[in-house]
């Protein structure tokens, strides 16, 4: 899909998919993400400043674009230790949104007709832009991951090469190390993939880990941004009920003493965020604000086929 057959979403083999998923899992586990709370709060502070500026100017906020800028900035900082800084560049944020929309729109088509992207990658961009602009956008983005530039995907190929050159281990061999989530603050995604015990030497090639990073960047930022956009809309549309109740809970439980509360503290709020692992009261979980918001913002509906041995798809 989208010209990334070596990324986790484009992996057909069930056996290979399990290994790639196992290599990615620890990096995005709860234990690995919690140390990055300050990074997220920094991005949220920047978002608040942007919204205040828009309010003073009495200008319109493109909510999906702004949400995508926030999630991309946070994800790229946590994943690659380099922020895309889209919250400070509306033009780049708008361009990134158009690209993500093109990817989401074409994914069901290229999923069924797998020859489209490989063929398009061989065609010159100029006529492709005139005939199928969205497809040309994806092709350009796929090719540009090998270049150096300012928008997020353009940095990936360069970073992958740097990670391989500076890796403390031999990237051509399997690592005997585990993937400790506690070290996420000093390792980026490329370094974690190179040190993963689940991946073979062929799985640690520069092209493959670049494709993996590209898939993570697009999928992680878009799905989260979609949920944020939907959530904010429903809060504002129900300002006298949902928004009022949320403000009341935050004020009564947290107060104004510490604006940067931890995830652990937020998990104790019964309506905002129920810890569904510990909580067994299904009715309470259904009434949870976050649980109600998730179904309102579904991702791209497309079946991901996996083939296990000779037994066909599952």
């Amino acid at each position: 899909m989208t010209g990334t057959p070596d990324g986790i979403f484009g992996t057909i083999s069930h056996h290979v998919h399990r290994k790639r998923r196992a290599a990615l899992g620890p990096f995005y586990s709860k234990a690995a993400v919690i140390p990055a709370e300050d990074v997220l709060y920094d991005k949220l502070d920047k978002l608040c400043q942007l919204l205040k500026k828009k309010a003073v100017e009495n200008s319109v906020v493109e909510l999906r674009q702004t949400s995508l800028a926030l999630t991309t900035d946070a994800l790229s900082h946590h994943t690659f230790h380099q922020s895309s800084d889209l919250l400070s560049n509306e033009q780049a944020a708008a361009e990134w949104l158009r690209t993500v929309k093109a990817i989401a729109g074409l994914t069901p088509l290229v999923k069924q007709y797998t020859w489209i992207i490989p063929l398009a990658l061989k065609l010159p961009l100029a006529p492709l832009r005139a005939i199928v602009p969205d497809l040309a956008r994806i092709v350009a983005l796929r090719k540009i991951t090998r270049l150096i530039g300012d928008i997020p995907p353009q940095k990936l190929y360069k970073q992958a090469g740097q990670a391989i050159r500076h890796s403390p281990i031999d990237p051509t061999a399997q690592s005997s190390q585990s993937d400790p989530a506690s070290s996420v603050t000093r390792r980026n995604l490329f370094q974690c993939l190179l040190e993963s015990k689940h991946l073979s030497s062929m799985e640690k090639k520069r092209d493959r880990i670049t494709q993996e990073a590209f898939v993570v960047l697009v999928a992680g930022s878009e799905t989260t941004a979609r949920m944020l956009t939907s959530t904010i809309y429903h809060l504002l549309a129900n300002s006298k009920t949902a928004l009022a109740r949320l403000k009341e809970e935050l004020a009564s439980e947290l107060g104004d003493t510490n604006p940067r509360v931890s995830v652990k503290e937020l998990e104790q709020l019964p309506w905002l965020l129920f810890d569904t692992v510990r909580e067994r009261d299904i009715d309470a979980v259904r009434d949870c604000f976050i649980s109600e918001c998730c179904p309102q913002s579904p991702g791209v509906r497309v079946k991901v086929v996996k083939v296990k041995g000779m037994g066909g798809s599952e």
Side-chain angles (χ1 to χ4, degrees), residues 168-169 174-180 187 195-198:
I169 63 170
Q174 286 191 351
S175 171
S176 59
Q177 301 179 26
S178 61
D179 296 301
R187 296 194 301 168
E195 296 177 20
S196 173
K197 64 180 181 180
H198 301 286

Side-chain angles (χ1 to χ4, degrees), residues 247-267:
K247 284 183 175 180
E248 181 182 358
E249 181 173 86
L250 291 173
S252 62
E253 297 291 337
L254 303 177
D256 299 324
T257 55
N258 181 18
R260 294 195 170 193
V261 295
S262 66
V263 170
K264 186 176 181 179
E265 292 176 280
L266 291 174
E267 285 177 343

Side-chain angles (χ1 to χ4, degrees), residues 32-51:
V33 173
I34 283 179
E37 283 181 2
D38 285 338
V39 171
L40 181 56
Y41 271 117
D42 289 341
K43 305 305 176 186
L44 290 172
D45 287 342
K46 204 167 188 177
L47 173 64
C48 291
Q49 293 172 6
L50 175 62
L51 295 177

Side-chain angles (χ1 to χ4, degrees), residues 47 71 92-93 119 149 156 198 217 229 250 308:
L47 173 64
T71 56
L119 176 61
L156 301 185
H198 301 286
L217 180 64
T229 303
L250 291 173
K308 184 175 182 180

Side-chain angles (χ1 to χ4, degrees), residues 113-292:
Y113 302 98
T114 56
W115 50 267
I116 292 179
I117 294 293
L119 176 61
L121 286 169
K122 298 177 182 179
L123 299 176
L125 275 176
L128 200 58
R129 285 194 177 104
I131 301 172
V132 193
D134 282 353
L135 181 58
R137 183 178 292 275
I138 293 176
V139 170
L141 190 63
R142 179 66 188 92
K143 290 180 176 179
I144 215 166
T145 54
R146 289 175 170 271
L147 304 177
I148 302 170
D150 296 321
I151 64 173
Q154 292 175 305
K155 301 177 181 179
L156 301 185
Y157 194 75
K158 178 184 178 183
Q159 279 194 282
Q162 291 174 338
I164 290 174
R165 288 194 299 272
H166 297 99
S167 177
I169 63 170
D170 180 4
T172 63
Q174 286 191 351
S175 171
S176 59
Q177 301 179 26
S178 61
D179 296 301
S182 59
S183 63
V184 70
T185 54
R186 57 184 175 82
R187 296 194 301 168
N188 61 30
L189 176 63
F190 294 119
Q191 292 167 329
C192 286
L193 291 176
L194 292 173
E195 296 177 20
S196 173
K197 64 180 181 180
H198 301 286
L199 302 178
S200 67
S201 58
M202 294 301 296
E203 289 287 290
K204 298 177 181 180
K205 297 295 185 181
R206 189 176 186 179
D207 281 340
R208 201 208 75 79
I209 63 175
T210 300
Q211 290 187 34
E212 195 75 278
F214 174 72
V215 169
V216 166
L217 180 64
V218 174
S221 60
E222 160 61 6
T223 52
T224 315
R226 190 184 291 263
M227 180 187 173
L228 277 176
T229 303
S230 175
T231 299
I232 294 172
Y233 165 77
H234 286 291
L235 274 176
L236 295 178
N238 299 276
S239 58
K240 294 183 180 180
T241 53
L243 183 58
R245 181 176 176 181
L246 180 60
K247 284 183 175 180
E248 181 182 358
E249 181 173 86
L250 291 173
S252 62
E253 297 291 337
L254 303 177
D256 299 324
T257 55
N258 181 18
R260 294 195 170 193
V261 295
S262 66
V263 170
K264 186 176 181 179
E265 292 176 280
L266 291 174
E267 285 177 343
Q268 306 308 312
L269 302 183
W271 192 60
L272 171 66
L273 181 63
F274 243 92
D275 188 340
T276 55
V277 175
R278 291 185 292 104
E279 181 56 49
R280 301 303 177 185
D281 185 349
I282 301 301
D283 291 331
V285 172
R286 284 175 183 159
D287 191 44
C288 166
F289 174 71
I290 298 297
S291 294
E292 283 294 314

Side-chain angles (χ1 to χ4, degrees), residues 1 8-12 17 111 302-306 313-314:
M1 294 188 291
I8 190 168
F9 287 159
T11 305
I12 301 298
H17 182 270
K111 175 70 171 54
V302 58
K303 183 178 180 181
V304 180
V305 177
K306 296 290 172 281
S313 62
E314 59 175 15

